[in-house]
Amino acid sequence: MIDFSFSPAQQGLREQAKAFTEEWVAPNAARHDRTGEFPKEICREAFRRGFMNTSVPKEYGGRGLAVLDHCLVTEEICTGCSGIGTAIDGNGLSQAPVILAGTPEQKARFLAPMTEELMFSAYAVTEPEAGSDVARVKTTAVKVGSDYVLNGVKWWITNGSVASWYFVLARVEDRQTGFIVPADSAGVVRGPKEINLGQHASNTVRVTFEDVKVPEAFRLGAEGDGFKIAMETFNHTRPGIAAGANGITKAALNIALSYAKRRRTFDKKLISNQGISFKLAEMMTKLDAARFLAYKAAWLIDNGTDNAREASEAKWFASDVAMEAAIACAQILGGYGYTNEMPAEKLVRDAKIYQIYEGASEIQKMIVVAKLMRTKVVE
Amino acid sequence: MIKDLMDIAGRAVRPFKRRAYGRTFVCPVCHLELAFADVDGNGLAVCPVCGAVISLEAPYGHAVPVVVDMEINRAQPKLRLHPMASHLPVGLFPVACLGAGVLLVASLLAPAAWPTALIERATLLVLALAVGLSPLTIAAGVSDWRRRYGGRPYRIIRLKLAFSACFVVLGGLAVALHASGAVFSPATGLIAAASPLELLAAVAYFATLAVNLVVVGTLGHVGGNLVFGR
Ligand SMILES: Cc1cc2nc3c(=O)[nH]c(=O)nc-3n(C[C@H](O)[C@H](O)[C@H](O)COP(=O)(O)OP(=O)(O)OC[C@H]3O[C@@H](n4cnc5c(N)ncnc54)[C@H](O)[C@@H]3O)c2cc1C
Ligand SMILES: [Zn+2]
């Protein structure tokens, strides 16, 4: 049985997220894009309305939303501004390892407070010399008494300068191990905000760990479990990333559609030219396809089924669709698509990151291939 | 306003920096400005601030630094003596300049109520401390450079060494002029300027202080970059 309809609860959630986006996110998108200021007040409102920390289980004060529900919220918010959306959603990426592998004490200590007041956390895995190839991570954790001492540099950490704690992947000798590191530990140094192509509202920084003492109680799982935890996290978060990209596609489609219906050239409306209208038809079709991939990947994991392949498919496909749609939107707007007085050029800049973070598109395809290698015949 | 001043200062030092550094590129991790000349025989440069091991090529003139490794587990900030020791000269020298400035104003306006004799003595003491302690700071810097940066001959370190030597020489000159009694009259603490020679000494003294203030400011600024990146 296949059912493509949203439940009343899901429909309600979408509408709430849409109202929040129209009231808070979209009107502030251009300002944060220009100033690069972190959207703390918007996050506070998102927190108040329950759009942050959505996946924290109910017993720790969260909403315990399903991944699919989270996708619906993220798609709406990212239609307003994916940079602000990333700032709001950043917590989810770092909370997932704790939800997946944390002890009840760790969850009570690090997740529960985040549902009581506005706080941030960050996922610190990438290093300057190790991004896609996570196995190369070099940060060391040396056991000294009942503590570990961490040394290393983490790079491009989203929400890195506002986080209260980090999920850090480090190696204990040769065993990749996950740690929760409070940001106020001595020896944690945060770099300045990086100036990126797009998503200027999102905060990306370097975080350096210099002789940082972490109690054994903050280790996630056993020594050597880190890589698995860090990768499993993505099965939960990649559908949401795909949904964020779909938000960009939706924004691009709506802006282009609205423009093409009203702009006149050669005595007729732009949209009456097939050269333009087919672009819109392609955007719509690809948006539908990308959504179904994202929803299916989310639905699988919500039902306890392995979704590694589907999550990767959804992520790379939605990212590519968003990039194409943003460029098509800019093209349809002509000169207005290139000026920063109109929303199209921001979409072009914002869309690019989806093909890079949380595993670049090539890496997603490698994951799909790995699954194919173990498949005799595709059903 | 401040941004405009920084722009002007930046434009003023650019040609000088060119000469000191040669062509430069920016560490893609911490944004420290490094010189092409910092690249060793293997085509690698290690960023002194963040430890990025950078392979550098410049296809068609565009510097393309690629991070190939990271140096971690280096001597840590809390063991770094130089950033702490540097506060002696960098902190004291401007105070001495302030004292000298007050004496200059007092000499021009001649307000009788100011304790100028005391200020003159205090200024000399602070100045002597700033300059006298600076060799300690420099020694700590050289030691940190060896420990943390492996003694690699970075352009930025050479600049610091050259400026440090400058600071000691000019500072020594200022202390000598001040202590000689030719600039300020020992009795009143005001600028003597009784003979052309004394006037010349006063001009030389204030010029030396001004130049050295720029020198120590540059040292502090460059040192800050080395600790915090940019
Ligand atoms: C804005 C931003 C926010 C980020 N936020 C976070 C964060 O919060 N936490 C975190 O841990 N990381 C974060 N990252 C890091 C991000 O996940 C990495 O940049 C990404 O995984 C790519 O790694 P890399 O940059 O080292 O590229 P590399 O691994 O060096 O790859 C370079 C290119 O080669 C491709 N490639 C690599 N290997 C192969 C292969 N075998 N076959 C084919 N192609 C290949 C890649 O797809 C990529 O296109 C962020 C990055 C950015 C830009
Ligand atoms: Zn660096």
Side-chain angles (χ1 to χ4, degrees), chain B residues 48-68:
Chain B
V49 170
C50 69
V53 182
I54 295 165
S55 145
L56 184 71
E57 284 182 9
Y60 218 85
H62 301 284
V64 181
V66 175
V67 178
V68 292

mmCIF file of all heavy atoms in Angstrom, chain B residues 48-68:
data_model
loop_
_atom_site.group_PDB
_atom_site.id
_atom_site.type_symbol
_atom_site.label_atom_id
_atom_site.label_comp_id
_atom_site.label_asym_id
_atom_site.label_seq_id
_atom_site.Cartn_x
_atom_site.Cartn_y
_atom_site.Cartn_z
ATOM 1 N N PRO B 48 52.425 28.856 10.743
ATOM 2 C CA PRO B 48 52.837 28.922 12.145
ATOM 3 C C PRO B 48 51.655 29.010 13.111
ATOM 4 O O PRO B 48 51.761 28.564 14.239
ATOM 5 C CB PRO B 48 53.682 30.192 12.212
ATOM 6 C CG PRO B 48 53.353 30.977 11.006
ATOM 7 C CD PRO B 48 52.879 30.005 9.964
ATOM 8 N N VAL B 49 50.537 29.558 12.678
ATOM 9 C CA VAL B 49 49.420 29.728 13.608
ATOM 10 C C VAL B 49 48.620 28.448 13.771
ATOM 11 O O VAL B 49 48.414 27.968 14.881
ATOM 12 C CB VAL B 49 48.489 30.872 13.146
ATOM 13 C CG1 VAL B 49 47.217 30.887 13.969
ATOM 14 C CG2 VAL B 49 49.198 32.193 13.284
ATOM 15 N N CYS B 50 48.147 27.878 12.656
ATOM 16 C CA CYS B 50 47.188 26.783 12.786
ATOM 17 C C CYS B 50 47.819 25.421 12.518
ATOM 18 O O CYS B 50 47.186 24.400 12.769
ATOM 19 C CB CYS B 50 45.998 26.993 11.869
ATOM 20 S SG CYS B 50 46.390 26.828 10.137
ATOM 21 N N GLY B 51 49.027 25.386 11.992
ATOM 22 C CA GLY B 51 49.688 24.105 11.767
ATOM 23 C C GLY B 51 49.316 23.441 10.456
ATOM 24 O O GLY B 51 49.676 22.284 10.226
ATOM 25 N N ALA B 52 48.595 24.156 9.575
ATOM 26 C CA ALA B 52 48.267 23.562 8.278
ATOM 27 C C ALA B 52 49.557 23.370 7.477
ATOM 28 O O ALA B 52 50.374 24.281 7.385
ATOM 29 C CB ALA B 52 47.309 24.469 7.517
ATOM 30 N N VAL B 53 49.736 22.154 6.949
ATOM 31 C CA VAL B 53 50.872 21.903 6.065
ATOM 32 C C VAL B 53 50.360 22.162 4.654
ATOM 33 O O VAL B 53 49.478 21.463 4.163
ATOM 34 C CB VAL B 53 51.389 20.468 6.220
ATOM 35 C CG1 VAL B 53 52.590 20.243 5.325
ATOM 36 C CG2 VAL B 53 51.748 20.199 7.674
ATOM 37 N N ILE B 54 50.903 23.203 4.036
ATOM 38 C CA ILE B 54 50.319 23.722 2.803
ATOM 39 C C ILE B 54 51.244 23.454 1.628
ATOM 40 O O ILE B 54 52.438 23.756 1.688
ATOM 41 C CB ILE B 54 50.097 25.243 2.943
ATOM 42 C CG1 ILE B 54 49.055 25.511 4.026
ATOM 43 C CG2 ILE B 54 49.665 25.858 1.627
ATOM 44 C CD1 ILE B 54 49.029 26.948 4.484
ATOM 45 N N SER B 55 50.690 22.854 0.588
ATOM 46 C CA SER B 55 51.428 22.713 -0.666
ATOM 47 C C SER B 55 50.983 23.876 -1.552
ATOM 48 O O SER B 55 49.789 24.122 -1.707
ATOM 49 C CB SER B 55 51.086 21.355 -1.283
ATOM 50 O OG SER B 55 51.063 21.459 -2.678
ATOM 51 N N LEU B 56 51.954 24.599 -2.104
ATOM 52 C CA LEU B 56 51.599 25.822 -2.830
ATOM 53 C C LEU B 56 52.030 25.771 -4.288
ATOM 54 O O LEU B 56 53.176 25.458 -4.599
ATOM 55 C CB LEU B 56 52.262 27.037 -2.162
ATOM 56 C CG LEU B 56 51.864 28.375 -2.792
ATOM 57 C CD1 LEU B 56 50.434 28.714 -2.457
ATOM 58 C CD2 LEU B 56 52.779 29.482 -2.350
ATOM 59 N N GLU B 57 51.085 26.054 -5.161
ATOM 60 C CA GLU B 57 51.408 26.326 -6.563
ATOM 61 C C GLU B 57 50.628 27.568 -6.962
ATOM 62 O O GLU B 57 49.651 27.922 -6.298
ATOM 63 C CB GLU B 57 51.014 25.147 -7.454
ATOM 64 C CG GLU B 57 51.982 23.983 -7.339
ATOM 65 C CD GLU B 57 51.621 22.822 -8.253
ATOM 66 O OE1 GLU B 57 50.716 22.993 -9.093
ATOM 67 O OE2 GLU B 57 52.242 21.773 -8.116
ATOM 68 N N ALA B 58 51.057 28.202 -8.048
ATOM 69 C CA ALA B 58 50.358 29.418 -8.477
ATOM 70 C C ALA B 58 50.090 29.361 -9.973
ATOM 71 O O ALA B 58 50.730 30.056 -10.753
ATOM 72 C CB ALA B 58 51.173 30.649 -8.101
ATOM 73 N N PRO B 59 49.121 28.517 -10.396
ATOM 74 C CA PRO B 59 48.835 28.428 -11.827
ATOM 75 C C PRO B 59 48.317 29.766 -12.343
ATOM 76 O O PRO B 59 47.397 30.336 -11.755
ATOM 77 C CB PRO B 59 47.755 27.342 -11.903
ATOM 78 C CG PRO B 59 47.151 27.302 -10.550
ATOM 79 C CD PRO B 59 48.239 27.683 -9.591
ATOM 80 N N TYR B 60 48.925 30.246 -13.390
ATOM 81 C CA TYR B 60 48.527 31.506 -14.029
ATOM 82 C C TYR B 60 48.454 32.640 -13.024
ATOM 83 O O TYR B 60 47.613 33.524 -13.123
ATOM 84 C CB TYR B 60 47.175 31.337 -14.741
ATOM 85 C CG TYR B 60 47.145 32.102 -16.035
ATOM 86 C CD1 TYR B 60 47.656 31.528 -17.206
ATOM 87 C CD2 TYR B 60 46.664 33.402 -16.089
ATOM 88 C CE1 TYR B 60 47.671 32.232 -18.388
ATOM 89 C CE2 TYR B 60 46.677 34.118 -17.272
ATOM 90 C CZ TYR B 60 47.174 33.527 -18.419
ATOM 91 O OH TYR B 60 47.184 34.222 -19.578
ATOM 92 N N GLY B 61 49.296 32.590 -12.005
ATOM 93 C CA GLY B 61 49.365 33.698 -11.062
ATOM 94 C C GLY B 61 48.401 33.624 -9.887
ATOM 95 O O GLY B 61 48.463 34.440 -8.987
ATOM 96 N N HIS B 62 47.492 32.641 -9.910
ATOM 97 C CA HIS B 62 46.565 32.517 -8.785
ATOM 98 C C HIS B 62 47.161 31.585 -7.736
ATOM 99 O O HIS B 62 47.376 30.411 -8.034
ATOM 100 C CB HIS B 62 45.224 31.925 -9.241
ATOM 101 C CG HIS B 62 44.542 32.730 -10.294
ATOM 102 N ND1 HIS B 62 43.881 33.896 -10.012
ATOM 103 C CD2 HIS B 62 44.441 32.538 -11.637
ATOM 104 C CE1 HIS B 62 43.382 34.396 -11.131
ATOM 105 N NE2 HIS B 62 43.708 33.600 -12.140
ATOM 106 N N ALA B 63 47.400 32.080 -6.536
ATOM 107 C CA ALA B 63 47.936 31.212 -5.486
ATOM 108 C C ALA B 63 46.887 30.161 -5.126
ATOM 109 O O ALA B 63 45.758 30.506 -4.805
ATOM 110 C CB ALA B 63 48.295 32.040 -4.263
ATOM 111 N N VAL B 64 47.255 28.898 -5.218
ATOM 112 C CA VAL B 64 46.323 27.822 -4.859
ATOM 113 C C VAL B 64 46.958 26.979 -3.752
ATOM 114 O O VAL B 64 47.670 26.018 -4.013
ATOM 115 C CB VAL B 64 45.984 26.924 -6.071
ATOM 116 C CG1 VAL B 64 44.988 25.844 -5.660
ATOM 117 C CG2 VAL B 64 45.420 27.748 -7.205
ATOM 118 N N PRO B 65 46.736 27.371 -2.490
ATOM 119 C CA PRO B 65 47.290 26.592 -1.394
ATOM 120 C C PRO B 65 46.407 25.365 -1.117
ATOM 121 O O PRO B 65 45.190 25.497 -1.061
ATOM 122 C CB PRO B 65 47.258 27.560 -0.207
ATOM 123 C CG PRO B 65 46.260 28.594 -0.557
ATOM 124 C CD PRO B 65 46.018 28.570 -2.035
ATOM 125 N N VAL B 66 47.023 24.204 -0.984
ATOM 126 C CA VAL B 66 46.265 22.987 -0.695
ATOM 127 C C VAL B 66 46.737 22.427 0.645
ATOM 128 O O VAL B 66 47.933 22.197 0.832
ATOM 129 C CB VAL B 66 46.460 21.930 -1.806
ATOM 130 C CG1 VAL B 66 45.775 20.628 -1.433
ATOM 131 C CG2 VAL B 66 45.910 22.444 -3.127
ATOM 132 N N VAL B 67 45.814 22.226 1.569
ATOM 133 C CA VAL B 67 46.176 21.684 2.878
ATOM 134 C C VAL B 67 46.369 20.178 2.726
ATOM 135 O O VAL B 67 45.426 19.467 2.374
ATOM 136 C CB VAL B 67 45.089 21.983 3.921
ATOM 137 C CG1 VAL B 67 45.455 21.367 5.260
ATOM 138 C CG2 VAL B 67 44.893 23.481 4.059
ATOM 139 N N VAL B 68 47.586 19.699 2.972
ATOM 140 C CA VAL B 68 47.832 18.269 2.813
ATOM 141 C C VAL B 68 47.945 17.557 4.156
ATOM 142 O O VAL B 68 47.869 16.337 4.227
ATOM 143 C CB VAL B 68 49.095 17.993 1.962
ATOM 144 C CG1 VAL B 68 48.854 18.416 0.523
ATOM 145 C CG2 VAL B 68 50.313 18.688 2.540
#
